[in-house]
C-alpha cells in the first residue's frame, strides 16, 4: 500500500519524506488555507520536495472553471494530480482529463455508486472519506471494502485512495482490505510507529548494554 501524506504544511512534508516512507501528497483547500500561503506557491514547493503524485484541488465548482483550473494545474508539474469533486460536472472534467492523459483524484466520495461513476469517468484515484463517515455514525471502512470489491469485479484501473484518515486503525484496515493508497496526516504517521512494548524493550536493552564489558 502506498503512503501519501495528507497536508499542505511543507515542514511536515520535509520531515515525513526524510523517513523514506512517503510516496505522494494530497492537499485540499482547507489544508492550504491553514498555511496562509497561495495554493500555487505551496504546490510548487511540494513538487520540489516529493517525487511522486501530488494532488492539487480545483477551487471552481462549475464545468468551465474546473476544466480551466485542471489544465492550469497540469501545467505546473508533471507530478500534479488534479483533484476534482464528485459532482456531475466534476465527473465530466474527469473524463476530459482522462482523454488528455491528465491524472485525476476524484474527491469527496461517500458511496460505492459514486466510486463506480468515478472509475467509469476514467479517474486515476478515488478518495473515499472514511473519517467523515465515522463522524456521522456510519462505518467508513465498510465503504472501502465495497469499493475494492466493485473495482476488482470489473478490473477498473482507478486506485482506491483512503482519505480522511484519523487514526492508525484506519491505516491497518486499509491495508487489510487491499486499498492502493492511504493518505495519512503527519500526526497519524508518527502514531504508527509507537508501541509501549517497543519503548519498554528498548529501555531495558539500553540499561543492560551498560553491563556489557567494553
Ligand atoms: C484528502 O485527500 C482529503 O481531502 C482529506 O483526507 C480530508 O480529511 P478530513 O476529513 O480530516 O478533513
Amino acid at each position: 500500500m502506498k503512503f501519501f501524506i495528507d497536508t499542505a504544511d511543507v515542514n511536515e512534508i520535509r520531515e515525513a519524506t526524510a523517513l523514506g516512507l512517503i510516496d505522494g501528497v494530497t492537499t485540499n483547500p482547507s489544508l492550504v488555507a491553514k498555511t496562509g500561503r497561495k495554493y500555487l506557491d505551496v504546490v510548487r514547493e511540494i513538487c520540489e520536495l516529493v517525487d511522486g503524485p501530488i494532488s492539487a484541488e480545483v477551487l471552481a465548482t462549475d464545468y468551465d472553471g474546473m476544466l480551466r483550473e485542471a489544465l492550469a494545474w497540469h501545467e505546473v508539474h508533471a507530478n500534479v494530480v488534479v483533484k476534482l469533486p464528485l459532482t456531475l460536472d466534476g465527473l465530466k472534467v474527469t473524463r476530459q482529463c482522462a482523454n488528455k492523459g491528465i491524472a485525476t483524484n476524484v474527491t469527496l466520495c461517500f458511496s460505492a455508486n459514486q466510486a463506480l461513476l468515478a472509475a467509469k469517468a476514467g479517474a486515476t484515484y478515488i478518495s473515499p472519506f472514511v473519517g467523515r463517515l465515522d463522524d456521522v455514525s456510519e462505518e467508513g471502512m465498510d465503504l472501502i471494502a465495497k469499493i475494492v470489491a466493485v473495482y476488482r469485479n470489473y478490473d477498473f484501473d482507478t486506485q482506491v485512495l483512503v482519505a480522511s484518515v484519523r487514526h492508525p486503525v484506519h491505516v491497518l484496515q486499509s491495508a487489510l482490505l487491499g486499498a492502493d493508497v492511504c493518505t495519512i496526516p503527519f500526526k497519524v504517521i508518527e502514531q504508527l510507529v509507537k508501541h509501549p512494548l517497543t519503548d519498554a524493550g528498548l529501555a531495558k536493552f539500553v540499561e543492560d548494554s551498560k553491563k556489557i564489558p567494553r
Side-chain angles (χ1 to χ4, degrees):
M1 185 171 73
K2 287 178 215 141
F3 274 21
F4 289 0
I5 182 166
D6 193 25
T7 186
D9 180 334
V10 290
N11 293 321
E12 287 185 349
I13 293 170
R14 217 173 268 119
E15 260 193 74
T17 47
L19 297 172
L21 298 169
I22 299 303
D23 302 298
V25 181
T26 51
T27 65
N28 66 35
S30 307
L31 293 170
V32 175
K34 278 193 222 164
T35 70
R37 301 178 62 197
K38 289 186 180 161
Y39 207 158
L40 182 58
D41 293 346
V42 171
V43 171
R44 281 204 176 117
E45 191 170 348
I46 296 172
C47 290
E48 285 169 19
L49 298 172
V50 178
D51 186 16
I54 294 152
S55 290
E57 193 156 339
V58 296
L59 305 182
T61 54
D62 63 299
Y63 174 79
D64 290 334
M66 286 191 283
L67 184 58
R68 202 176 318 115
E69 288 184 30
L71 298 176
W73 274 131
H74 181 62
E75 289 303 312
V76 171
H77 194 282
N79 284 341
V80 170
V81 174
V82 180
K83 215 168 167 194
L84 295 154
L86 218 160
T87 60
L88 285 176
D89 279 343
L91 292 172
K92 274 165 73 180
V93 179
T94 302
R95 171 45 62 199
Q96 289 298 315
C97 287
N99 292 348
K100 293 175 194 296
I102 298 174
T104 53
N105 174 357
V106 176
T107 190
L108 291 167
C109 172
F110 294 96
S111 80
N113 274 337
Q114 289 180 319
L116 180 57
L117 294 180
K120 289 185 70 65
T124 313
Y125 300 98
I126 182 69
S127 284
F129 278 32
V130 294
R132 292 193 196 184
L133 281 170
D134 292 352
D135 288 345
V136 294
S137 303
E138 286 189 40
E139 276 290 344
M141 295 312 300
D142 285 355
L143 175 58
I144 303 304
K146 284 181 191 161
I147 297 172
V148 167
V150 169
Y151 282 12
R152 280 201 186 131
N153 282 348
Y154 298 99
D155 232 358
F156 282 121
D157 290 332
T158 304
Q159 296 183 49
V160 180
L161 191 169
V162 180
S164 188
V165 163
R166 301 279 164 79
H167 49 69
V169 178
H170 278 152
V171 179
L172 175 60
Q173 289 172 326
S174 301
L176 288 170
L177 289 167
D180 300 283
V181 189
C182 195
T183 189
I184 316 172
F186 184 67
K187 186 187 74 166
V188 179
I189 294 174
E190 288 181 313
Q191 288 172 337
L192 290 175
V193 77
K194 291 202 189 338
H195 197 288
L197 291 179
T198 304
D199 295 341
L202 184 60
K204 176 78 171 128
F205 284 155
V206 168
E207 190 190 314
D208 289 346
S209 72
K210 293 177 191 150
K211 301 172 194 158
I212 299 173
R214 308 209 178 212

mmCIF file of all heavy atoms in Angstrom, residues 72 98 108 130 169 173 191:
data_model
loop_
_atom_site.group_PDB
_atom_site.id
_atom_site.type_symbol
_atom_site.label_atom_id
_atom_site.label_comp_id
_atom_site.label_asym_id
_atom_site.label_seq_id
_atom_site.Cartn_x
_atom_site.Cartn_y
_atom_site.Cartn_z
ATOM 1 N N ALA A 72 -4.628 24.168 -15.937
ATOM 2 C CA ALA A 72 -3.572 25.015 -15.353
ATOM 3 C C ALA A 72 -2.742 24.220 -14.341
ATOM 4 O O ALA A 72 -1.510 24.292 -14.339
ATOM 5 C CB ALA A 72 -4.207 26.232 -14.687
ATOM 6 N N ALA A 98 -8.980 12.528 -18.440
ATOM 7 C CA ALA A 98 -8.556 11.171 -18.817
ATOM 8 C C ALA A 98 -8.255 11.118 -20.311
ATOM 9 O O ALA A 98 -7.252 10.533 -20.737
ATOM 10 C CB ALA A 98 -9.632 10.154 -18.432
ATOM 11 N N LEU A 108 -14.189 13.658 -2.185
ATOM 12 C CA LEU A 108 -15.487 13.783 -1.515
ATOM 13 C C LEU A 108 -16.406 12.622 -1.915
ATOM 14 O O LEU A 108 -17.589 12.827 -2.207
ATOM 15 C CB LEU A 108 -16.139 15.138 -1.808
ATOM 16 C CG LEU A 108 -15.440 16.339 -1.171
ATOM 17 C CD1 LEU A 108 -15.936 17.651 -1.760
ATOM 18 C CD2 LEU A 108 -15.625 16.348 0.345
ATOM 19 N N VAL A 130 -13.198 8.245 4.902
ATOM 20 C CA VAL A 130 -13.662 7.331 5.962
ATOM 21 C C VAL A 130 -13.955 8.043 7.281
ATOM 22 O O VAL A 130 -14.950 7.750 7.945
ATOM 23 C CB VAL A 130 -12.675 6.150 6.181
ATOM 24 C CG1 VAL A 130 -12.631 5.267 4.950
ATOM 25 C CG2 VAL A 130 -11.268 6.628 6.536
ATOM 26 N N VAL A 169 -5.731 2.746 13.208
ATOM 27 C CA VAL A 169 -6.590 1.602 12.842
ATOM 28 C C VAL A 169 -7.110 1.772 11.414
ATOM 29 O O VAL A 169 -7.238 0.801 10.656
ATOM 30 C CB VAL A 169 -7.742 1.421 13.864
ATOM 31 C CG1 VAL A 169 -8.651 0.266 13.456
ATOM 32 C CG2 VAL A 169 -7.174 1.162 15.254
ATOM 33 N N GLN A 173 -6.662 -1.109 8.616
ATOM 34 C CA GLN A 173 -7.836 -1.653 7.913
ATOM 35 C C GLN A 173 -7.723 -1.414 6.404
ATOM 36 O O GLN A 173 -8.109 -2.267 5.605
ATOM 37 C CB GLN A 173 -9.119 -1.011 8.462
ATOM 38 C CG GLN A 173 -9.450 -1.494 9.871
ATOM 39 C CD GLN A 173 -10.601 -0.726 10.491
ATOM 40 O OE1 GLN A 173 -10.768 0.468 10.250
ATOM 41 N NE2 GLN A 173 -11.378 -1.399 11.317
ATOM 42 N N GLN A 191 2.100 8.253 14.947
ATOM 43 C CA GLN A 191 1.461 7.270 15.845
ATOM 44 C C GLN A 191 1.697 5.832 15.391
ATOM 45 O O GLN A 191 1.712 4.915 16.202
ATOM 46 C CB GLN A 191 -0.059 7.521 15.918
ATOM 47 C CG GLN A 191 -0.436 8.768 16.697
ATOM 48 C CD GLN A 191 -1.926 9.081 16.569
ATOM 49 O OE1 GLN A 191 -2.587 8.665 15.619
ATOM 50 N NE2 GLN A 191 -2.448 9.819 17.526
#
